[in-house]
Amino acid sequence: MNLTHKQPKVLLFGRANVGKSTLYNKLIGHAQAIVYDEPGVTRDVREHPFTLGGVDFLLMDAAGYEVGAKTELAQGIHKLLSQAATDADVILFIVDGREGIQNLDQQASAWLRKVVGKTPVFLLANKCESKKGLEQTNEFFHLGWGEPIAIAAEHGIGFSDIYEILIQATHHLRKKNLGPSEESSSQTEEFLAEDTVHSPSSDPASAEKDLSRPLSITIIGRPNVGKSTLVNALLGKERVLTGDQPGVTRDSVRISWVYENREIQLVDTAGIRRKSRIDTDIERLSVQSSLHNIRFAELVILLLDATQPLEKQELLLAEHAVNEGRALILALNKWDLVPIEEQQPLLTHLHRRISHVLPQVKGIPCVTLCAKTAAGLDKLMQTLLVMEGKWNTRLSTGKLNRWLKDVTTQNPPPLVKGRPFNIKYIAQINKRPPTFTLYTSKSAELPKSYMRYLVNHLRETFDLSGTPIRLLTRSAKNPYHEATT
């Protein structure tokens, strides 16, 4: 086993509904995975970094183990689970302490032993907050993975033991130069016998955080427009599930990726249908997860089906992304299915419609592509990087006020209650998206029409096309008066 990636990968493994996603959320420190009392909610392999005792890990949450995958979807889920188990450096095998050993636990154990070879596996008996769960823990010895560790993920019980085995496992991997070891079961006992345990609270390195920020790109759209296919095409491998039927992706999946030496967090989301068509609790949770990822994204790709572009639901999604201040890119998938003579009229119609719905953000870029053949992906990525630059624009106060003097001279502000409206100066107070404040002689707001005029002029002058711009007003004296004259 060779650790070629930066962070040791820790896989949460077990049959469905034993609490893997609950433990995942607890370990990473926030609710990212959908938790629902129904088997099969998790389908894709979800990843998230976390730091423990000064050591960086990559935690993986995968679908529950099942026997006899017959459908194409089930086979795809099993394939991703197999790949995750093969890639993992440490595996936490989770069982339900309340229920005791089930036949599926034994089958999962036998399958895992064949797949992982000599990768260290630790057995966690979850849901052991009650006396019954603790009493049944010892029967899991029969699975052959050493002493089971009693935990209760929902209540945070037993986490100190998890911390110990992960830190010890990582220490052992590095000490042995990440080479092969003895049988998995005996290796587990050897790890537990190690006495070099670092306490997370006493290690100052655990408080350090990497200040470099990867670029967060979230892909949204209606069901079955090809979001997961696009993710796989960008990564160059089958990383997330795809299928012809809508609703294959249930939860948002965040994937670390590097494009032209740029670290990227790529987020694949569940398709978002109209509220009136959402009829299950799981789909409601999926939609909430998708909207949450829009809020915390930097760039948003709204993926459209070129054969059915910009339906009402997609316009609402575009408006939501812009209102959240995200840089938006339209991507027309399945472009190869559009006849050549219809392509330009379609693009013209699309630009007109998006400009009508979102007049406050002119120049939203539109890229055509085919995710299945990977056509147009380089153009998409270059457009994203250009939009990132615009979204992160920082303008000097002097440059802004020279612009303000010119634009207000050409078109002075209208009278407010019969009196002139005096704009003293302008300053940029934030970026991501570019945010500006107009400081005026009184607190009354400028008419909306004049505010739109200033925003449009700002966008045109400083090449901020397609980027949300926030313009605020405030009463204040002008501390820059001497510096900008």
Side-chain angles (χ1 to χ4, degrees):
M1 176 180 58
N2 293 316
L3 193 63
T4 57
H5 43 77
K6 185 178 180 180
Q7 304 159 318
K9 290 187 175 182
V10 180
L11 173 65
L12 304 182
F13 172 80
R15 60 182 172 86
N17 228 32
V18 293
K20 298 186 297 297
S21 293
T22 301
L23 178 59
Y24 177 88
N25 287 339
K26 287 286 186 178
L27 287 174
I28 67 173
H30 64 274
Q32 185 188 87
I34 291 179
V35 177
Y36 192 73
D37 192 16
E38 177 181 305
V41 173
T42 301
R43 289 176 173 174
D44 289 290
V45 178
R46 185 186 298 103
E47 299 178 349
H48 198 283
F50 74 107
T51 300
L52 186 62
V55 179
D56 293 326
F57 295 94
L58 189 66
L59 189 63
M60 299 190 294
D61 179 27
Y65 176 81
E66 293 183 359
V67 176
K70 297 180 180 180
T71 66
E72 184 178 349
L73 177 61
Q75 291 172 358
I77 292 173
H78 189 76
K79 182 179 179 181
L80 289 179
L81 177 60
S82 300
Q83 188 61 52
T86 303
D87 291 344
D89 301 299
V90 180
I91 296 177
L92 302 182
F93 184 2
I94 304 171
V95 292
D96 191 324
R98 293 179 196 162
E99 297 180 352
I101 290 184
Q102 305 294 305
N103 287 335
L104 193 54
D105 292 324
Q106 295 175 331
Q107 292 170 316
S109 179
W111 176 86
L112 185 63
R113 199 176 300 277
K114 293 178 182 178
V115 172
V116 302
K118 299 173 182 179
T119 300
V121 177
F122 300 93
L123 190 63
L124 306 183
N126 192 26
K127 307 179 183 180
C128 287
E129 65 274 12
S130 65
K131 183 178 180 181
K132 179 182 178 182
L134 291 171
E135 290 175 347
Q136 294 186 151
T137 300
N138 289 337
E139 71 177 77
F140 291 105
F141 267 107
H142 297 296
L143 292 177
W145 298 104
E147 181 179 359
I149 299 170
I151 68 167
E154 187 174 356
H155 305 285
I157 297 173
F159 277 38
S160 60
D161 294 325
I162 297 176
Y163 295 159
E164 284 195 14
I165 61 175
L166 288 182
I167 296 300
Q168 290 180 21
T170 305
H171 173 78
H172 187 89
L173 286 170
R174 291 181 175 177
K175 185 177 179 181
K176 299 296 183 181
N177 198 25
L178 308 179
S181 56
E182 301 298 326
E183 294 290 332
S184 295
S185 56
S186 62
Q187 188 180 38
T188 299
E189 294 173 0
E190 181 183 352
F191 286 159
L192 291 173
E194 287 273 1
D195 58 2
T196 50
V197 180
H198 301 277
S199 169
S201 59
S202 62
D203 189 345
S206 64
E208 295 181 3
K209 293 185 178 180
D210 187 2
L211 298 179
S212 62
R213 295 184 57 173
L215 175 61
S216 178
I217 301 174
T218 295
I219 304 174
I220 62 172
R222 292 184 292 110
N224 219 31
V225 294
K227 297 183 295 297
S228 297
T229 303
L230 175 59
V231 169
N232 287 338
L234 288 170
L235 298 177
K237 62 180 180 179
E238 297 295 318
R239 174 59 179 80
V240 291
L241 290 170
T242 60
D244 293 332
Q245 70 273 37
V248 171
T249 302
R250 281 186 166 180
D251 201 355
S252 299
V253 181
R254 183 176 295 269
I255 303 165
S256 298
W257 179 46
V258 176
Y259 176 79
E260 293 187 352
N261 298 321
R262 180 65 195 276
E263 187 177 355
I264 292 173
Q265 288 287 324
L266 198 60
V267 183
D268 181 23
T269 64
I272 303 176
R273 299 194 296 172
R274 287 183 294 180
K275 285 186 178 180
S276 60
R277 295 185 178 180
I278 299 175
D279 53 8
T280 66
D281 290 339
I282 290 179
E283 187 173 1
R284 291 188 185 93
L285 292 172
S286 297
V287 170
Q288 290 175 10
S289 176
S290 298
L291 296 177
H292 173 84
N293 278 286
I294 293 174
R295 185 178 306 125
F296 290 95
E298 295 174 324
L299 307 180
V300 172
I301 300 173
L302 175 57
L303 193 63
L304 311 173
D305 186 332
T307 63
Q308 298 175 325
L310 273 187
E311 295 187 354
K312 183 178 179 180
Q313 176 65 10
E314 292 166 328
L315 292 170
L316 292 174
L317 289 175
E319 185 176 20
H320 179 75
V322 168
N323 289 340
E324 289 288 349
R326 307 307 98 186
L328 178 67
I329 295 90
L330 303 181
L332 271 176
N333 191 24
K334 308 178 186 179
W335 190 243
D336 56 316
L337 301 180
V338 180
I340 295 177
E341 65 274 11
E342 297 179 11
Q343 291 180 355
Q344 190 55 50
L346 176 59
L347 288 173
T348 302
H349 170 73
L350 187 146
H351 282 297
R352 286 177 180 172
R353 196 166 183 204
I354 198 71
S355 297
H356 176 73
V357 175
L358 297 171
Q360 70 274 31
V361 185
K362 292 186 177 181
I364 293 176
C366 179
V367 179
T368 60
L369 57 90
C370 178
K372 279 190 175 181
T373 63
L377 298 192
D378 285 338
K379 183 178 179 182
L380 173 65
M381 291 307 303
Q382 293 304 316
T383 302
L384 286 165
L385 295 179
V386 169
M387 290 304 297
E388 181 204 10
K390 294 182 179 182
W391 195 63
N392 278 285
T393 294
R394 171 72 73 177
L395 300 173
S396 69
T397 301
K399 183 182 293 185
L400 281 170
N401 281 279
R402 287 190 292 272
W403 164 84
L404 181 64
K405 182 178 180 180
D406 291 339
V407 75
T408 53
T409 299
Q410 294 174 13
N411 185 11
L415 299 178
V416 177
K417 295 181 180 180
R419 303 183 64 181
F421 196 103
N422 183 21
I423 301 177
K424 292 190 171 183
Y425 70 104
I426 185 173
Q428 183 172 358
I429 60 172
N430 210 342
K431 55 182 182 177
R432 306 163 61 91
T435 304
F436 308 90
T437 295
L438 286 171
Y439 292 86
T440 66
S441 58
K442 46 183 174 290
S443 59
E445 292 187 357
L446 278 170
K448 291 183 178 180
S449 59
Y450 196 78
M451 294 282 281
R452 285 195 297 269
Y453 162 73
L454 293 177
V455 168
N456 289 335
H457 213 289
L458 260 174
R459 178 172 285 114
E460 181 179 347
T461 303
F462 298 108
D463 190 21
L464 299 176
S465 58
T467 304
I469 294 177
R470 291 173 176 169
L471 184 60
L472 313 173
T473 59
R474 183 179 177 183
S475 297
K477 294 181 180 181
N478 184 1
Y480 295 96
H481 179 71
E482 293 183 1
T484 57
T485 54

